[in-house]
Amino acid sequence: MTPLDAMALAIKETQRDAFVAQNGYLFLLLRIDDNSEENDWSFRTTTLSVDRLKQAIALAESSAAARDLRYYRVMAVVKSDNNPWAGRISVGRARNNDIVLPHASVSKLHAHFSETKTGLTLSDAGSRNGTHLSGVPVGADQPVEAKPGDEIAFGLISLKLMTAADLYDFVMARIC
């Protein structure tokens, strides 16, 4: 999980077409509300070099919209070496998932994305608190198509599925 304000530095230094070419996958965007009583994240640490930290502070101080980026986290919807299931991008609380959401409402293995010829499908993995796609419950092992712009909820955690171009535009609208 990458803090969006840290990623904004790389985005700001890259042209849109180059960013899209380098990141030919989808992203999940999460907004964390520090004032929420439901905010039950297990950890929130980020390691930045001193120079990157200074740049992040300068960026955050440049505008109110840019400061808003510190409340976002972004995750690539990609397969990692941690996950033993071939052909599936796993989502869950356990660290061996491809997408790790360290929140009490997220099951250890909560859901799966699968790549198809036409895009991505999403299926619940029998989670305790359920998976929802744009407000509609996703059945256990019943894949549904997930498209950019969809809101996906894993337990109490709600994220937005975005293309690299959408993520680039989202960040640039806040830092320029």
Side-chain angles (χ1 to χ4, degrees):
M1 198 174 340
T2 304
L4 194 54
D5 56 351
M7 186 181 223
L9 299 171
I11 289 173
K12 186 176 183 182
E13 297 167 357
T14 307
Q15 295 293 320
R16 185 178 193 265
D17 292 341
F19 181 79
V20 171
Q22 293 167 2
N23 301 283
Y25 38 81
L26 296 174
F27 291 90
L28 287 169
L29 183 67
L30 167 71
R31 177 163 170 74
I32 296 175
D33 181 2
D34 282 339
N35 299 320
S36 172
E37 292 180 17
E38 293 179 352
N39 192 0
D40 185 25
W41 289 91
S42 301
F43 59 87
R44 282 193 214 169
T45 58
T46 304
T47 303
L48 293 175
S49 69
V50 172
D51 289 337
R52 292 295 263 183
L53 184 58
K54 287 178 183 176
Q55 290 174 340
I57 291 169
L59 179 65
E61 291 174 348
S62 66
S63 73
R67 285 192 301 271
D68 182 56
L69 291 178
R70 67 182 171 208
Y71 296 110
Y72 288 92
R73 303 292 181 267
V74 65
M75 295 145 274
V77 181
V78 294
K79 186 92 178 111
S80 74
D81 294 333
N82 294 335
N83 174 344
W85 293 283
R88 292 183 179 182
I89 300 169
S90 63
V91 180
R93 191 177 70 240
R95 293 181 188 258
N96 66 335
N97 286 293
D98 297 307
I99 299 170
V100 178
L101 298 173
H103 191 272
S105 71
V106 176
S107 296
K108 288 180 184 177
L109 175 59
H110 198 97
H112 295 279
F113 286 102
S114 295
E115 295 178 293
T116 66
K117 292 177 185 177
T118 59
L120 281 180
T121 61
L122 173 66
S123 58
D124 189 81
S127 66
R128 191 175 109 224
N129 293 314
T131 301
H132 292 78
L133 179 67
S134 298
V136 178
V138 176
D141 295 320
Q142 296 178 355
V144 294
E145 184 181 4
K147 302 176 299 303
D150 284 342
E151 294 287 332
I152 302 173
F154 302 103
L156 296 175
I157 304 305
S158 183
L159 305 109
K160 184 171 185 175
L161 189 62
M162 304 178 92
T163 64
D166 293 337
L167 180 64
Y168 185 93
D169 295 342
F170 180 86
V171 170
M172 291 303 285
R174 283 158 175 78
I175 63 174
C176 293

